[in-house]
Amino acid sequence: MGYSSTAIFGNDLASDVRATYRELLEDGVSAEEALLKVEKEFSYASNDPDNRAAFWTALAATQMQLGRLDDRVRDQTIAVIDSGGDLHMWESTDAARRKAVLAKLRSQLLGPQKRPIRVRPHKRELSPVQAGETFVLGLQDGREARFRTLAVHSYRVGDVPIVEMVDERGRPYRDGVRALVAFKQDVPIRVIGRFRAPSKVAMPDVSCTWRALQLHAAKLLSDPEAKPNRGLFH
């Protein structure tokens, strides 16, 4: 477990617990079911001497922030803090800071709690192109680059296309890019045709933004050696 600070969420485990619990609520899972799922997913940490303090304090703090503090979680967290928490993992100066952080959380957990706040569903970002579509990408210098969409990969937060640059005959560029393109399309795109997309597409090694794809495409269009002629395409 990596620590960046003595704060409650100053370590990887705590951040993961917070994100998982909140994402479950965003997806419409009840607070009770979300708690059970988080405990199951992080069962390795809940009783581990080095990890249990990070787990329980993160879970309790997250629930408290969202107005959903569970009594059992509160009591378990206080018990962990009272038993010393994870102070054995810190050097003297940092241990004092961590102790103060844990003491503050303990006081907050025993104090008045806020009413449940609304957790809005996460808005999924949709892919601007679909598998089997050929499209042109407008470049900053006015030129256009042609791409084909090999597949669309679905994540919890949205759909991301896997694209590759091709010439007017549909041939991939030599040393071209086959990339997973990030969310939030902010460049001009125009679908111009369709092709038969492959049934299986390996996840590419490259991922980039749409603007980075623009820049790379401009370089390929300007490079005669990159053009897929005379059998140089793959």
Side-chain angles (χ1 to χ4, degrees), residues 165-228:
M165 188 169 164
V166 297
D167 69 357
E168 67 279 358
R169 294 169 57 185
R171 301 178 302 179
Y173 270 55
R174 181 189 183 198
D175 298 326
V177 63
R178 176 178 289 193
L180 188 72
V181 189
F183 303 115
K184 296 184 179 179
Q185 173 251 326
D186 51 1
V187 295
I189 287 175
R190 186 175 78 257
V191 176
I192 60 173
R194 294 195 59 83
F195 69 98
R196 178 172 292 183
S199 58
K200 293 183 179 180
V201 179
M203 190 65 68
D205 295 329
V206 177
S207 62
C208 64
T209 65
W210 284 100
R211 290 195 179 276
L213 190 65
Q214 259 189 336
L215 295 174
H216 191 78
K219 291 180 180 179
L220 288 179
L221 285 180
S222 301
D223 182 2
E225 297 299 322
K227 294 181 178 179

Coordinates of all heavy atoms in Angstrom, one line a residue, residues 165-228:
M165 N -5.4 4.6 -38.5 CA -5.3 5.5 -39.7 C -5.1 4.7 -41.0 O -4.3 3.7 -41.0 CB -4.2 6.5 -39.5 CG -4.2 7.6 -40.6 SD -3.1 8.9 -40.1 CE -2.9 9.7 -41.6
V166 N -5.9 5.0 -42.0 CA -5.9 4.3 -43.3 C -5.8 5.3 -44.4 O -6.1 6.4 -44.3 CB -7.1 3.3 -43.4 CG1 -7.1 2.2 -42.4 CG2 -8.4 4.1 -43.4
D167 N -5.5 4.8 -45.6 CA -5.5 5.6 -46.8 C -6.9 5.5 -47.4 O -7.8 4.9 -46.9 CB -4.4 5.3 -47.8 CG -4.6 3.9 -48.4 OD1 -5.5 3.2 -48.1 OD2 -3.7 3.5 -49.3
E168 N -7.0 6.1 -48.6 CA -8.3 6.1 -49.3 C -8.8 4.7 -49.7 O -10.0 4.5 -50.0 CB -8.3 7.1 -50.5 CG -7.4 6.7 -51.6 CD -5.9 7.0 -51.4 OE1 -5.6 7.6 -50.3 OE2 -5.1 6.7 -52.2
R169 N -7.9 3.8 -49.8 CA -8.2 2.4 -50.1 C -8.4 1.5 -48.9 O -8.6 0.3 -49.0 CB -7.1 1.8 -51.0 CG -7.0 2.5 -52.4 CD -5.8 2.1 -53.2 NE -5.7 0.6 -53.3 CZ -4.7 0.0 -53.9 NH1 -3.6 0.7 -54.3 NH2 -4.7 -1.3 -54.0
G170 N -8.3 2.1 -47.7 CA -8.6 1.4 -46.5 C -7.4 0.6 -46.0 O -7.5 -0.3 -45.1
R171 N -6.2 1.0 -46.5 CA -4.9 0.3 -46.0 C -4.3 1.0 -44.9 O -4.1 2.2 -44.9 CB -3.9 0.2 -47.2 CG -4.5 -0.5 -48.4 CD -3.5 -0.5 -49.6 NE -3.1 0.8 -50.0 CZ -2.2 1.1 -50.9 NH1 -1.6 0.1 -51.6 NH2 -1.9 2.4 -51.2
P172 N -4.0 0.3 -43.8 CA -3.3 1.0 -42.6 C -2.0 1.6 -43.0 O -1.2 1.0 -43.8 CB -3.1 -0.2 -41.6 CG -4.1 -1.2 -42.1 CD -4.2 -1.1 -43.6
Y173 N -1.7 2.7 -42.4 CA -0.4 3.3 -42.6 C 0.8 2.5 -42.0 O 0.6 2.0 -40.9 CB -0.4 4.7 -42.1 CG -0.8 5.8 -43.0 CD1 -2.1 5.7 -43.6 CD2 0.0 6.9 -43.3 CE1 -2.5 6.6 -44.5 CE2 -0.5 7.9 -44.2 CZ -1.7 7.7 -44.8 OH -2.1 8.7 -45.7
R174 N 1.9 2.5 -42.7 CA 3.1 1.9 -42.2 C 3.5 2.7 -41.0 O 3.6 3.9 -41.0 CB 4.2 1.9 -43.2 CG 5.5 1.2 -42.7 CD 6.6 1.4 -43.7 NE 7.8 0.7 -43.3 CZ 9.0 1.0 -43.8 NH1 9.2 1.9 -44.6 NH2 10.0 0.3 -43.3
D175 N 3.8 2.0 -39.9 CA 4.2 2.7 -38.6 C 3.1 3.6 -38.1 O 3.4 4.6 -37.5 CB 5.5 3.4 -38.8 CG 6.7 2.5 -39.1 OD1 6.6 1.4 -38.6 OD2 7.6 2.9 -39.8
G176 N 1.9 3.3 -38.6 CA 0.8 4.2 -38.1 C 0.4 3.9 -36.7 O 1.0 3.1 -36.0
V177 N -0.7 4.5 -36.3 CA -1.2 4.3 -35.0 C -2.5 3.5 -34.9 O -3.4 3.8 -35.7 CB -1.4 5.7 -34.3 CG1 -2.5 6.5 -35.0 CG2 -1.7 5.6 -32.8
R178 N -2.5 2.6 -34.1 CA -3.7 1.9 -33.7 C -3.9 2.2 -32.2 O -3.1 1.8 -31.4 CB -3.6 0.4 -33.9 CG -4.8 -0.4 -33.5 CD -4.8 -1.9 -33.7 NE -4.8 -2.2 -35.2 CZ -5.0 -3.4 -35.6 NH1 -5.2 -4.4 -34.8 NH2 -5.1 -3.6 -36.9
A179 N -4.9 3.0 -31.9 CA -5.0 3.6 -30.6 C -6.4 3.5 -30.0 O -7.4 3.5 -30.7 CB -4.6 5.1 -30.6
L180 N -6.4 3.4 -28.7 CA -7.6 3.6 -27.9 C -7.7 5.1 -27.6 O -6.8 5.7 -27.0 CB -7.5 2.8 -26.6 CG -8.7 2.7 -25.7 CD1 -9.7 1.7 -26.3 CD2 -8.3 2.1 -24.3
V181 N -8.8 5.7 -28.1 CA -8.9 7.2 -28.0 C -9.7 7.6 -26.8 O -10.8 7.1 -26.7 CB -9.4 7.8 -29.3 CG1 -9.3 9.3 -29.3 CG2 -8.7 7.2 -30.5
A182 N -9.2 8.5 -26.1 CA -9.9 8.9 -24.8 C -11.2 9.6 -25.0 O -11.6 9.9 -26.1 CB -8.9 9.8 -24.0
F183 N -11.9 9.8 -23.9 CA -13.2 10.4 -23.9 C -13.2 11.9 -24.4 O -12.1 12.4 -24.6 CB -13.9 10.3 -22.5 CG -14.0 8.9 -22.0 CD1 -13.3 8.6 -20.9 CD2 -14.8 8.0 -22.6 CE1 -13.4 7.3 -20.3 CE2 -14.9 6.7 -22.1 CZ -14.2 6.4 -21.0
K184 N -14.4 12.4 -24.5 CA -14.5 13.9 -24.8 C -13.9 14.3 -26.1 O -12.9 14.9 -26.2 CB -14.0 14.7 -23.7 CG -14.7 14.5 -22.4 CD -14.3 15.5 -21.3 CE -15.1 15.2 -20.0 NZ -14.6 16.1 -18.9
Q185 N -14.6 13.8 -27.2 CA -14.2 14.2 -28.5 C -14.3 15.7 -28.7 O -15.4 16.2 -28.6 CB -15.0 13.4 -29.6 CG -14.8 13.8 -31.0 CD -16.0 14.6 -31.5 OE1 -17.1 14.3 -31.2 NE2 -15.7 15.5 -32.4
D186 N -13.2 16.3 -29.0 CA -13.2 17.8 -29.1 C -12.6 18.3 -30.4 O -12.0 19.3 -30.5 CB -12.5 18.4 -28.0 CG -11.1 17.8 -27.7 OD1 -10.7 16.9 -28.5 OD2 -10.4 18.3 -26.8
V187 N -12.6 17.4 -31.5 CA -12.1 17.7 -32.8 C -13.1 17.3 -33.8 O -14.0 16.5 -33.6 CB -10.8 16.9 -33.0 CG1 -9.7 17.4 -32.1 CG2 -11.0 15.4 -32.9
P188 N -13.1 17.9 -35.0 CA -14.1 17.6 -36.0 C -14.0 16.2 -36.6 O -12.9 15.7 -37.0 CB -13.8 18.6 -37.1 CG -12.4 19.1 -36.9 CD -12.2 19.0 -35.5
I189 N -15.1 15.5 -36.6 CA -15.1 14.1 -37.1 C -16.3 14.0 -38.1 O -17.4 14.5 -37.8 CB -15.3 13.1 -36.0 CG1 -14.0 12.9 -35.2 CG2 -15.7 11.7 -36.5 CD1 -14.1 12.1 -34.0
R190 N -16.2 13.3 -39.2 CA -17.3 13.0 -40.1 C -17.2 11.6 -40.6 O -16.2 11.2 -41.2 CB -17.2 14.0 -41.3 CG -18.4 13.9 -42.2 CD -18.3 15.0 -43.3 NE -17.4 14.6 -44.4 CZ -16.2 15.1 -44.5 NH1 -15.7 16.0 -43.7 NH2 -15.4 14.7 -45.5
V191 N -18.3 10.8 -40.3 CA -18.4 9.5 -40.8 C -18.7 9.5 -42.2 O -19.6 10.1 -42.7 CB -19.5 8.7 -40.0 CG1 -19.6 7.3 -40.5 CG2 -19.2 8.7 -38.5
I192 N -17.9 8.7 -43.0 CA -18.0 8.7 -44.5 C -18.3 7.3 -45.0 O -18.6 7.2 -46.2 CB -16.7 9.2 -45.1 CG1 -15.5 8.3 -44.7 CG2 -16.5 10.6 -44.7 CD1 -14.2 8.7 -45.5
G193 N -18.3 6.2 -44.2 CA -18.6 4.9 -44.8 C -18.5 3.8 -43.8 O -18.4 4.1 -42.6
R194 N -18.7 2.6 -44.2 CA -18.7 1.5 -43.3 C -17.8 0.4 -43.9 O -17.6 0.3 -45.2 CB -20.1 0.9 -43.1 CG -21.0 1.9 -42.3 CD -22.2 1.1 -41.8 NE -21.9 0.0 -40.9 CZ -21.6 0.2 -39.6 NH1 -21.6 1.4 -39.1 NH2 -21.3 -0.9 -38.9
F195 N -17.3 -0.5 -43.1 CA -16.6 -1.7 -43.5 C -16.9 -2.8 -42.5 O -17.5 -2.6 -41.5 CB -15.1 -1.4 -43.5 CG -14.5 -1.2 -42.1 CD1 -13.8 -2.2 -41.5 CD2 -14.6 0.0 -41.5 CE1 -13.3 -2.1 -40.2 CE2 -14.1 0.2 -40.2 CZ -13.4 -0.9 -39.6
R196 N -16.5 -4.0 -42.8 CA -16.7 -5.1 -41.9 C -15.6 -5.2 -40.9 O -14.5 -5.5 -41.1 CB -16.7 -6.5 -42.7 CG -16.9 -7.7 -41.8 CD -17.1 -8.9 -42.6 NE -18.3 -8.9 -43.3 CZ -18.8 -10.0 -44.1 NH1 -18.0 -11.1 -44.2 NH2 -19.9 -9.9 -44.7
A197 N -16.1 -4.8 -39.6 CA -15.1 -4.7 -38.5 C -14.7 -6.2 -38.1 O -15.5 -7.1 -38.2 CB -15.7 -4.0 -37.3
P198 N -13.5 -6.4 -37.7 CA -13.0 -7.7 -37.2 C -13.8 -8.1 -36.0 O -14.2 -7.3 -35.2 CB -11.5 -7.5 -36.9 CG -11.4 -6.0 -36.7 CD -12.4 -5.3 -37.6
S199 N -13.9 -9.4 -35.9 CA -14.7 -10.0 -34.7 C -13.9 -9.8 -33.4 O -14.5 -9.7 -32.3 CB -15.1 -11.4 -35.0 OG -13.9 -12.2 -35.2
K200 N -12.6 -9.9 -33.5 CA -11.8 -9.7 -32.3 C -10.7 -8.7 -32.6 O -10.0 -8.8 -33.6 CB -11.2 -11.1 -31.9 CG -12.2 -12.1 -31.4 CD -11.5 -13.4 -30.9 CE -12.5 -14.4 -30.4 NZ -11.8 -15.6 -30.0
V201 N -10.5 -7.8 -31.6 CA -9.5 -6.8 -31.7 C -8.7 -6.7 -30.4 O -9.3 -6.5 -29.4 CB -10.1 -5.4 -32.0 CG1 -9.0 -4.4 -32.1 CG2 -10.9 -5.4 -33.3
A202 N -7.4 -6.9 -30.5 CA -6.5 -6.9 -29.3 C -6.5 -5.4 -28.8 O -6.5 -4.5 -29.6 CB -5.1 -7.4 -29.6
M203 N -6.4 -5.3 -27.5 CA -6.3 -4.0 -26.9 C -5.0 -3.3 -27.4 O -3.9 -3.9 -27.2 CB -6.4 -4.0 -25.4 CG -6.5 -2.7 -24.7 SD -8.0 -1.8 -25.1 CE -9.2 -2.9 -24.3
P204 N -5.0 -2.2 -28.0 CA -3.7 -1.6 -28.4 C -2.8 -1.1 -27.3 O -3.3 -0.9 -26.2 CB -4.2 -0.4 -29.3 CG -5.5 0.0 -28.7 CD -6.2 -1.3 -28.2
D205 N -1.6 -1.0 -27.6 CA -0.6 -0.5 -26.6 C -0.7 1.0 -26.4 O -0.3 1.6 -25.4 CB 0.8 -0.9 -27.0 CG 1.1 -2.4 -27.0 OD1 0.4 -3.1 -26.2 OD2 1.9 -2.8 -27.8
V206 N -1.2 1.7 -27.4 CA -1.3 3.1 -27.4 C -2.7 3.6 -27.0 O -3.7 3.1 -27.5 CB -0.9 3.7 -28.8 CG1 -1.0 5.2 -28.8 CG2 0.5 3.3 -29.2
S207 N -2.7 4.6 -26.1 CA -4.0 5.3 -25.8 C -3.6 6.8 -25.9 O -2.5 7.2 -25.5 CB -4.5 5.0 -24.5 OG -3.6 5.3 -23.4
C208 N -4.6 7.6 -26.4 CA -4.3 9.0 -26.5 C -5.6 9.8 -26.6 O -6.7 9.3 -26.6 CB -3.5 9.3 -27.8 SG -4.4 8.9 -29.3
T209 N -5.5 11.1 -26.6 CA -6.6 12.0 -26.7 C -6.9 12.2 -28.2 O -6.1 11.9 -29.0 CB -6.3 13.4 -26.0 OG1 -5.3 14.0 -26.7 CG2 -6.0 13.2 -24.6
W210 N -8.1 12.8 -28.5 CA -8.4 13.1 -29.9 C -7.4 14.1 -30.4 O -7.0 14.1 -31.6 CB -9.8 13.6 -30.0 CG -10.8 12.5 -29.8 CD1 -11.5 12.1 -28.7 CD2 -11.2 11.6 -30.9 NE1 -12.3 11.0 -29.0 CE2 -12.1 10.7 -30.3 CE3 -10.8 11.4 -32.2 CZ2 -12.7 9.6 -31.1 CZ3 -11.4 10.4 -32.9 CH2 -12.3 9.5 -32.4
R211 N -7.0 15.1 -29.6 CA -6.1 16.1 -30.1 C -4.7 15.5 -30.4 O -4.0 15.9 -31.3 CB -6.0 17.3 -29.1 CG -7.3 18.1 -29.1 CD -7.1 19.4 -28.4 NE -8.3 20.2 -28.4 CZ -8.7 21.0 -29.4 NH1 -8.0 21.1 -30.5 NH2 -9.8 21.7 -29.3
A212 N -4.3 14.6 -29.6 CA -3.0 13.9 -29.8 C -3.1 13.1 -31.1 O -2.1 13.0 -31.9 CB -2.6 13.0 -28.6
L213 N -4.2 12.5 -31.3 CA -4.4 11.7 -32.6 C -4.4 12.7 -33.8 O -3.8 12.3 -34.8 CB -5.8 11.1 -32.5 CG -6.1 10.0 -33.6 CD1 -5.1 8.8 -33.5 CD2 -7.5 9.6 -33.6
Q214 N -4.9 13.9 -33.6 CA -4.8 14.9 -34.7 C -3.3 15.1 -35.1 O -2.9 15.2 -36.2 CB -5.4 16.2 -34.2 CG -6.8 16.5 -34.7 CD -7.1 18.0 -34.3 OE1 -6.6 18.5 -33.3 NE2 -8.1 18.5 -35.0
L215 N -2.5 15.4 -34.0 CA -1.1 15.7 -34.3 C -0.3 14.5 -34.9 O 0.5 14.7 -35.8 CB -0.4 16.1 -32.9 CG -1.0 17.3 -32.2 CD1 -0.3 17.5 -30.9 CD2 -0.7 18.6 -33.1
H216 N -0.6 13.3 -34.5 CA 0.1 12.2 -35.0 C -0.4 12.0 -36.5 O 0.5 11.6 -37.3 CB -0.3 10.9 -34.2 CG 0.6 9.7 -34.6 ND1 1.9 9.6 -34.2 CD2 0.3 8.7 -35.4 CE1 2.4 8.5 -34.6 NE2 1.5 7.9 -35.4
A217 N -1.6 12.2 -36.8 CA -2.1 12.0 -38.1 C -1.5 13.0 -39.1 O -1.1 12.7 -40.2 CB -3.7 12.1 -38.1
A218 N -1.3 14.2 -38.6 CA -0.7 15.3 -39.4 C 0.8 14.8 -39.8 O 1.2 15.1 -40.9 CB -0.7 16.6 -38.7
K219 N 1.5 14.3 -38.8 CA 2.9 13.8 -39.1 C 2.9 12.7 -40.1 O 3.7 12.7 -41.0 CB 3.5 13.4 -37.8 CG 3.8 14.5 -36.8 CD 4.5 13.9 -35.5 CE 4.7 15.1 -34.6 NZ 5.4 14.5 -33.3
L220 N 1.9 11.8 -40.0 CA 1.9 10.7 -41.0 C 1.6 11.1 -42.4 O 2.1 10.7 -43.4 CB 0.9 9.6 -40.5 CG 1.3 8.8 -39.3 CD1 0.1 7.8 -39.0 CD2 2.6 8.0 -39.5
L221 N 0.6 12.1 -42.5 CA 0.3 12.6 -43.8 C 1.4 13.3 -44.5 O 1.5 13.4 -45.7 CB -0.9 13.5 -43.7 CG -2.3 12.9 -43.4 CD1 -3.4 14.0 -43.3 CD2 -2.7 11.9 -44.6
S222 N 2.3 13.9 -43.6 CA 3.5 14.6 -44.2 C 4.7 13.7 -44.4 O 5.7 14.2 -44.9 CB 3.8 15.7 -43.2 OG 2.8 16.6 -43.0
D223 N 4.6 12.5 -44.1 CA 5.8 11.6 -44.1 C 5.6 10.6 -45.3 O 4.8 9.6 -45.2 CB 5.9 10.8 -42.8 CG 7.1 9.9 -42.8 OD1 7.9 9.9 -43.8 OD2 7.3 9.2 -41.8
P224 N 6.3 10.7 -46.4 CA 6.1 9.8 -47.6 C 6.4 8.4 -47.2 O 5.8 7.5 -47.8 CB 7.1 10.4 -48.6 CG 7.4 11.8 -48.2 CD 7.3 11.8 -46.7
E225 N 7.3 8.2 -46.3 CA 7.7 6.8 -45.9 C 6.6 6.1 -45.1 O 6.6 4.9 -45.0 CB 9.0 6.8 -45.0 CG 10.2 7.3 -45.8 CD 10.5 6.5 -47.0 OE1 10.4 5.2 -46.9 OE2 10.9 7.0 -48.0
A226 N 5.6 6.9 -44.6 CA 4.6 6.3 -43.8 C 3.4 5.8 -44.6 O 2.6 5.0 -44.2 CB 4.0 7.3 -42.8
K227 N 3.4 6.2 -45.9 CA 2.2 5.8 -46.7 C 2.2 4.3 -47.1 O 3.3 3.7 -47.3 CB 2.2 6.7 -48.0 CG 2.0 8.2 -47.8 CD 2.0 8.9 -49.1 CE 1.7 10.4 -48.8 NZ 1.7 11.2 -50.0
P228 N 1.0 3.7 -47.1 CA 0.9 2.3 -47.2 C 1.0 1.8 -48.7 O 0.1 1.2 -49.2 CB -0.4 2.0 -46.6 CG -1.2 3.2 -46.9 CD -0.3 4.3 -46.8

